[in-house]
Amino acid sequence: MEKFDYIATDKKSNKVKGQVEALNQIQAQSILKERGLFIISMNKIEVMPAWMKMFEVFNKVKKQDVVHFTRQLATMIKAGLPLTTALSILKYQSNLTMAKVVDINRLMNYMG
């Protein structure tokens, strides 16, 4: 099933906005016509699976931030810190974008 945003008018010419779920755009249009709506515009809503949303942040991370983060992580691991502790510390020391990548709790929510 796909979801579509629509703007339409009813029989009294009132503007109506909403979403409709259908197998395809043709079926979505039929559903709205059956409801007595006249379609002004309709757009498919692109739905991204939750596990893919976590990778969006990687497109925003700068190369220099990754290099800096990796060096700090290596230093902490060599010092004997557990990985989870090192990542938790780095989360608070990193910029916001990098912190989202490092956030262990967020990662576990996507994986579990």
Side-chain angles (χ1 to χ4, degrees):
M1 295 290 262
E2 297 177 343
K3 287 186 179 181
F4 299 88
D5 277 329
Y6 67 86
I7 299 174
T9 56
D10 61 14
K11 292 178 181 177
K12 295 180 181 179
S13 297
N14 296 318
K15 200 175 208 180
V16 180
K17 293 181 183 181
Q19 291 183 353
V20 64
E21 194 170 320
L23 294 174
N24 54 41
Q25 189 167 355
I26 294 169
Q27 185 184 31
Q29 291 169 344
S30 295
I31 291 169
L32 295 177
K33 286 179 184 176
E34 287 174 9
R35 293 179 186 170
L37 298 174
F38 301 96
I39 301 165
I40 297 170
S41 69
M42 178 179 284
N43 297 305
K44 182 179 173 184
I45 301 171
E46 296 297 329
V47 180
M48 184 183 301
W51 63 269
M52 285 184 71
K53 288 181 183 178
M54 115 178 190
F55 293 106
E56 282 182 321
V57 75
F58 287 107
N59 296 330
K60 300 174 186 174
V61 177
K62 295 177 184 172
K63 189 175 183 178
Q64 68 187 31
D65 292 337
V66 174
V67 170
H68 182 71
F69 171 83
T70 305
R71 286 182 182 158
Q72 286 183 312
L73 181 61
T75 301
M76 290 180 181
I77 298 298
K78 285 180 186 175
L81 285 173
L83 180 61
T84 54
T85 303
L87 290 173
S88 293
I89 292 168
L90 287 173
K91 177 180 133 184
Y92 293 105
Q93 292 180 349
S94 301
N95 65 34
L96 184 60
T97 305
M98 196 68 195
K100 286 181 183 177
V101 174
V102 179
D103 189 354
I104 286 288
N105 294 327
R106 185 171 174 254
L107 179 62
M108 295 309 254
N109 286 339
Y110 283 113
M111 301 194 68

